[in-house]
Structure formats: structure tokens, C-alpha cells
């Protein structure tokens, strides 16, 4: 049995608009009434996020002073994973067609995300993804889970998944961050990183995934081709 474990934000859902709207909100809330600021364009802001530029640095580059930048960073962390901002997420291009292909070929599919249960459930319902991600194939954080760092928390999710899921002949992970790569590598699972999420190719390469490709659809095609070659 072939199994694909995929991250949610990045491969399946494009979160760039949510992050950008929250950036604009927090910048406006942090500035002084008459203070001149520079609101970054979305493309410039998103590239900074992909380059892992610190939130405080983004605040300073937008015209805030050091103290304001710290407040900006704190406010962003409190806001970015809340309603109504999840409304700005959109499905990644080609994601649903690719999920349909996986289902048609009877590939075992699981999702593994740093979203909390309520956050994942909201998106699964909104985008009608329940037929692809069955309840016993959803691995996410409990609503009251105290996060440490994604790069530490995600391998724990992988450990739980591998302990609960039935054995598979071949397992692949698809993700867009260093946490996805770390989770797979710690448990000796092949991992494909995608460039359509919150890290660019240069940052992803630092963590040495097995492959780096454009998006979820390309990653799945590579996995299916590999599986068919070995099966044949």
C-alpha cells in the first residue's frame, strides 16, 4: 500500500493573503496616528516571509521603531491563526484535482498540520475536503495544545501517526517547511518539499529534502510514477 502524508497549509491551501491581511492590520494597529509608515506590497512581504525574515525586522522595514516592532510581532502571532482571517485562505492551484486523483487510485492519504483541531475542521468543512481527509487520517494539534516549535512539535505528530496508522509498503511526506522535512527525516520517511508555501527553494534546500518541486500536484505525480515503476 502506498501512503502519502501531506501538510495542509502550503501544499493544499494558499495562506499568503491571510498572512498579508494580518500584516496590514497589525501595522495599522501599532503605528502612531500621524506616523509615516511604508506598507510593503504583498509580493515583497511574502518573499520576506519565505526568506524567514523576522517579524520585528519586517515591522522596522515598514517604518516602526524597535519597541513598536516588538508589539507588532506579538500582535501578529496572536492574530494570524484566528477568525475572521482564515476566510482569506484559498485552495492551492490544482490541489483538489490532485486529491481526486489520489482517491481514484486508492492511495492511502493522511494530512499532518500544525493547525489545531478547530482550525483544520473549519477548513475541511469550508472546502469540502472531508471526502479526501477522513477523520482517522487527520493529524493536528489539540485545541489546548501548548506549542513549542513546529520543528519539534511536528515530529511528535508523525510519531503518533506512524503508531496509529496501518502498515504501508511505501510512505512519502509532502510539505513546505523545515518542520515537515524534520518530521519525515526523523522517522526515515522520504520527503518532497514544495515551493508553493511559506519557504523558498533556498531555505528548503538547507534541510535537504529528497526532492524540491513546484507544488503538490508535481510532488504527487513523482510519487505515483515511482510507485508504478517499482510495482511494475
Amino acid at each position: 500500500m502506498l501512503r502519502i502524508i501531506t501538510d495542509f497549509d502550503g501544499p493544499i491551501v494558499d495562506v499568503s493573503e491571510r498572512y498579508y491581511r494580518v500584516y496590514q492590520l497589525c501595522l495599522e494597529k501599532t503605528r502612531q496616528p500621524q506616523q509615516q509608515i511604508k506598507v510593503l506590497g504583498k509580493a515583497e512581504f511574502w518573499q520576506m516571509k519565505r526568506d524567514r525574515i523576522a517579524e520585528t525586522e519586517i515591522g522596522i522595514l515598514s517604518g516602526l521603531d524597535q519597541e513598536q516592532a516588538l508589539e507588532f510581532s506579538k500582535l501578529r502571532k496572536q492574530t494570524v491563526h484566528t477568525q475572521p482571517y482564515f476566510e482569506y485562505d484559498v485552495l492551492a492551484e490544482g490541489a483538489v484535482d490532485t486529491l481526486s486523483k489520489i482517491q481514484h487510485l486508492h492511495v492511502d492519504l493522511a494530512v499532518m498540520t500544525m493547525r489545531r483541531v478547530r482550525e483544520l475542521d473549519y477548513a475541511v468543512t469550508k472546502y469540502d475536503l472531508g471526502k479526501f481527509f477522513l477523520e482517522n487520517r487527520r493529524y493536528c494539534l489539540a485545541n489546548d495544545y501548548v506549542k513549542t516549535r513546529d520543528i519539534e512539535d511536528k515530529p511528535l505528530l508523525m510519531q503518533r501517526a506512524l503508531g496509529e496508522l496501518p502498515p504501508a509498503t511505501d510512505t512519502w511526506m509532502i510539505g513546505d517547511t523545515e518542520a515537515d522535512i524534520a518530521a519525515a527525516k526523523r522517522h526515515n520517511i522520504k520527503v518532497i518539499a514544495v515551493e508553493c508555501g511559506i519557504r523558498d527553494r533556498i531555505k528548503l534546500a538547507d534541510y535537504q529534502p529528497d526532492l524540491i518541486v513546484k507544488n503538490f500536484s508535481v510532488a504527487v505525480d513523482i510519487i505515483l510514477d515511482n510507485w508504478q515503476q517499482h510495482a511494475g
Side-chain angles (χ1 to χ4, degrees), residues 14-22 24 42 46 88-89:
D14 178 350
V15 302
S16 60
E17 185 67 18
R18 164 160 52 104
Y19 276 59
Y20 185 61
R21 295 291 186 119
V22 170
Q24 291 176 307
K42 182 181 175 182
W46 189 238
Y88 292 109
D89 290 346

Side-chain angles (χ1 to χ4, degrees), residues 12-221:
I12 308 299
V13 169
D14 178 350
V15 302
S16 60
E17 185 67 18
R18 164 160 52 104
Y19 276 59
Y20 185 61
R21 295 291 186 119
V22 170
Y23 156 73
Q24 291 176 307
L25 171 84
C26 295
L27 192 60
E28 188 61 33
K29 282 193 170 184
T30 308
R31 64 181 292 201
Q32 293 296 322
Q34 303 303 320
Q35 184 177 1
Q36 292 294 313
I37 56 170
K38 176 196 172 187
V39 180
L40 302 172
K42 182 181 175 182
E44 185 180 7
F45 164 79
W46 189 238
Q47 189 56 51
M48 287 183 183
K49 291 296 298 179
R50 287 164 55 79
D51 287 340
R52 298 191 71 189
I53 304 297
E55 297 293 341
T56 50
E57 181 66 18
I58 291 174
I60 289 169
L61 290 170
S62 301
L64 302 178
D65 63 30
Q66 185 68 39
E67 186 176 345
Q68 288 175 316
L70 289 170
E71 180 59 31
F72 163 82
S73 175
K74 180 181 175 183
L75 183 60
R76 193 213 72 95
K77 285 175 181 149
Q78 292 171 346
T79 309
V80 73
H81 298 299
T82 64
Q83 289 289 12
Y85 295 97
F86 279 114
E87 296 286 344
Y88 292 109
D89 290 346
V90 295
L91 286 166
E93 183 179 355
V96 170
D97 288 342
T98 303
L99 290 171
S100 296
K101 181 193 294 188
I102 292 169
Q103 186 178 57
H104 177 72
L105 295 172
H106 304 291
V107 175
D108 193 65
L109 178 66
V111 62
M112 185 172 295
T113 173
M114 290 290 97
R115 285 188 183 228
R116 298 185 184 278
V117 171
R118 62 175 175 267
E119 297 161 358
L120 180 59
D121 285 352
Y122 164 79
V124 166
T125 300
K126 178 180 178 182
Y127 301 114
D128 191 27
L129 300 177
K131 57 182 175 287
F132 303 120
F133 299 119
L134 305 180
E135 286 194 20
N136 65 353
R137 293 296 192 272
R138 300 177 197 172
Y139 289 90
C140 58
L141 302 181
N143 289 328
D144 60 353
Y145 185 86
V146 179
K147 290 185 181 182
T148 57
R149 295 191 306 152
D150 287 1
I151 205 164
E152 298 298 333
D153 291 332
K154 199 141 202 179
L156 296 177
L157 271 186
M158 181 67 80
Q159 182 178 4
R160 179 161 72 86
L162 296 178
E164 294 177 3
L165 293 170
T169 310
D170 197 17
T171 301
W172 292 74
M173 176 76 189
I174 300 173
D176 69 323
T177 69
E178 60 277 6
D180 299 309
I181 299 168
K185 282 178 166 289
R186 196 170 300 182
H187 297 281
N188 298 311
I189 290 171
K190 297 181 289 293
V191 56
I192 299 180
V194 293
E195 296 181 80
C196 56
I198 202 167
R199 297 287 181 266
D200 63 19
R201 175 175 280 268
I202 293 171
K203 292 300 178 185
L204 291 169
D206 289 342
Y207 295 89
Q208 300 180 322
D210 292 283
L211 291 166
I212 304 174
V213 301
K214 181 181 176 182
N215 57 31
F216 181 64
S217 302
V218 176
V220 168
D221 284 344

